[in-house]
Amino acid sequence: MASIKKITGSDGKPSQKYHIWIVARDELGRKKRVHRVGTESYLESKAMGDALEAEFNSPPTVSEMGLRELLSEYEVIRRHRQRSARSNHVKETLSRISLAINHCQWRNPDDIREGAFLDFLAALRAEPEAGRFGLPRSLETINKYITAVKGFTRWICNSKGLARDPLSGIGKRDASVDPRIVRRVLTNEEFERLFQATLNLTEGQYSFRRLNSNVDLAMYLLIASTTGLRLYECWTRTPADFDLDSPTPTVYVPASYAKGGRADWIALSPNVVDLIRPWLATKPPHEPILKGAIHRSGGWLMRKLLAATGDLAKDIEPIPFETSDGRYDCHALRHQFASNLTRTHPIPIVRLMDHLRVVDAKLVMRYTHVELAERQHDVTNLFVPGQPPEEVARKVARKVAR
């Protein structure tokens, strides 16, 4: 609020013009007093004071805001909206945005240029990715950077009033031309070998720090391959989450553990219920059914279990972890579940999306591995118009002879 008054001069007489004082802050945020001389009219001087206060104390425009300040605010909002308590998505997103800002040397929103960001993506694509044996970053990784940075600039436009999104013209790359991790599924006979080999493991052959028995790991394979639960979702379930006595047996996944941030009840097969009931009875009701630190793909664990399939008989080769069709890690159990659903009977894509708890039909197609022989069986009885095949073949032969 501006202070407006006349001051008394050295002669003891009040001044003819009003004087205006306001409290403002400098560039470092420190308070300071600003003085101006108004007019002889109080109303005019008050209007000058209000305009002066608005000039000094008005919030900065979006062009004057620093990107670091905006990024800090964006972090608070993203963490508030974070769907899953265990997800590192916000941390990874902010790391990608910060890397782009540093590389492009952007200071404020007006510095953001499409060309500079494309140069950053090109440099990122050429740089070898850590832990990938010197391979350049995949197009899937590049798409994650595009999604992160464009989400930040779109938020600036919507929340801070930036005139237009400077990166609106940049689209995602086609990641299907550069796959890095391709997963496969096992046949029913191969999966039976894997299950039996896990049950026959001896102590010391399995598990990280020997926290889980061979039966625990076999039950994990059974539950994951018949429910589609992700590795972390399955690993953190407790016996209390399993409702085995209901007419429709289910396992409950809280929203804080689900990748989609939504609580779900997963249907259980009656055959699975009969196998896991005595095993769950031996577990504490409110402790995770499996213990120990795990990698998100569980590749190290599945390598050990697949290697054990060669111990069932001397003349049997172990099931390989990786072939030309792809690898078989713990996440491939989710692919196994989706593929087995489609193998048993035709199932609508919407129902399959509900089983897998995803909203993208394209993602569902990545989980279902349909063999070429199965596709051939599907098209065998297709309607073909025209005469009998023998008659059509004779007509075609006569045409060729001419």
Side-chain angles (χ1 to χ4, degrees), residues 183-238:
R183 293 181 171 91
R184 75 181 197 278
V185 296
L186 302 181
T187 63
N188 292 339
E189 294 76 13
E190 289 176 327
F191 191 80
E192 179 66 27
R193 282 179 57 195
L194 175 62
F195 184 75
Q196 294 299 332
T198 305
L199 282 176
N200 294 335
L201 284 173
T202 58
E203 186 175 355
Q205 284 184 276
Y206 54 82
S207 181
F208 177 70
R209 296 180 182 172
R210 302 183 183 179
L211 295 176
N212 303 298
S213 68
N214 58 331
V215 178
D216 294 338
L217 297 180
M219 292 298 104
Y220 159 67
L221 294 177
L222 177 65
I223 294 172
S225 62
T226 55
T227 60
L229 288 175
R230 298 175 179 88
L231 180 61
Y232 187 84
E233 294 171 344
C234 187
W235 211 265
T236 53
R237 294 305 91 236
T238 66

Side-chain angles (χ1 to χ4, degrees), residues 143-174:
N143 285 340
K144 291 179 181 179
Y145 279 86
I146 294 175
T147 301
V149 179
K150 287 189 65 175
F152 178 53
T153 57
R154 188 166 54 249
W155 171 79
I156 296 177
C157 290
N158 296 337
S159 300
K160 301 300 178 183
L162 189 64
R164 57 177 295 273
D165 186 356
L167 303 182
S168 59
I170 299 179
K172 289 185 178 181
R173 281 41 173 173
D174 183 9

Side-chain angles (χ1 to χ4, degrees), residues 39-272:
T39 65
E40 296 181 1
S41 168
Y42 176 80
L43 294 179
E44 292 179 0
S45 299
K46 187 177 185 305
M48 290 177 59
D50 294 341
L52 189 66
E53 191 170 30
E55 176 186 351
F56 278 89
N57 294 330
S58 61
T61 62
V62 63
S63 299
E64 298 171 344
M65 294 180 182
L67 283 179
R68 290 297 173 188
E69 177 185 352
L70 291 171
L71 187 59
S72 299
E73 183 178 349
Y74 185 64
E75 178 181 4
V76 174
I77 294 174
R78 288 303 301 268
R79 292 198 181 280
H80 178 70
R81 296 176 180 174
Q82 184 171 334
R83 295 177 296 181
S84 177
R86 60 163 291 273
S87 175
N88 291 326
H89 177 67
V90 173
K91 180 181 178 181
E92 294 172 354
T93 299
L94 295 173
S95 175
R96 294 181 182 119
I97 297 172
S98 181
L99 185 62
I101 292 175
N102 292 337
H103 185 275
C104 300
Q105 297 182 355
W106 293 332
R107 297 287 181 268
N108 54 63
D110 287 343
D111 295 338
I112 300 177
R113 294 290 184 271
E114 184 175 318
F117 186 58
L118 290 175
D119 292 340
F120 163 71
L121 294 179
L124 197 67
R125 172 76 168 145
E127 179 184 345
E129 187 173 5
R132 293 295 179 190
F133 307 102
L135 295 175
R137 283 179 168 84
S138 66
L139 291 178
E140 184 70 29
T141 301
I142 299 300
N143 285 340
K144 291 179 181 179
Y145 279 86
I146 294 175
T147 301
V149 179
K150 287 189 65 175
F152 178 53
T153 57
R154 188 166 54 249
W155 171 79
I156 296 177
C157 290
N158 296 337
S159 300
K160 301 300 178 183
L162 189 64
R164 57 177 295 273
D165 186 356
L167 303 182
S168 59
I170 299 179
K172 289 185 178 181
R173 281 41 173 173
D174 183 9
S176 63
V177 302
D178 183 29
R180 294 300 173 85
I181 299 180
V182 179
R183 293 181 171 91
R184 75 181 197 278
V185 296
L186 302 181
T187 63
N188 292 339
E189 294 76 13
E190 289 176 327
F191 191 80
E192 179 66 27
R193 282 179 57 195
L194 175 62
F195 184 75
Q196 294 299 332
T198 305
L199 282 176
N200 294 335
L201 284 173
T202 58
E203 186 175 355
Q205 284 184 276
Y206 54 82
S207 181
F208 177 70
R209 296 180 182 172
R210 302 183 183 179
L211 295 176
N212 303 298
S213 68
N214 58 331
V215 178
D216 294 338
L217 297 180
M219 292 298 104
Y220 159 67
L221 294 177
L222 177 65
I223 294 172
S225 62
T226 55
T227 60
L229 288 175
R230 298 175 179 88
L231 180 61
Y232 187 84
E233 294 171 344
C234 187
W235 211 265
T236 53
R237 294 305 91 236
T238 66
D241 295 328
F242 290 82
D243 185 6
L244 305 183
D245 298 322
S246 171
T248 54
T250 58
V251 54
Y252 174 63
V253 182
S256 57
Y257 289 96
K259 183 180 179 181
R262 184 189 66 183
D264 281 297
W265 286 262
I266 313 300
L268 291 173
S269 168
N271 298 329
V272 175

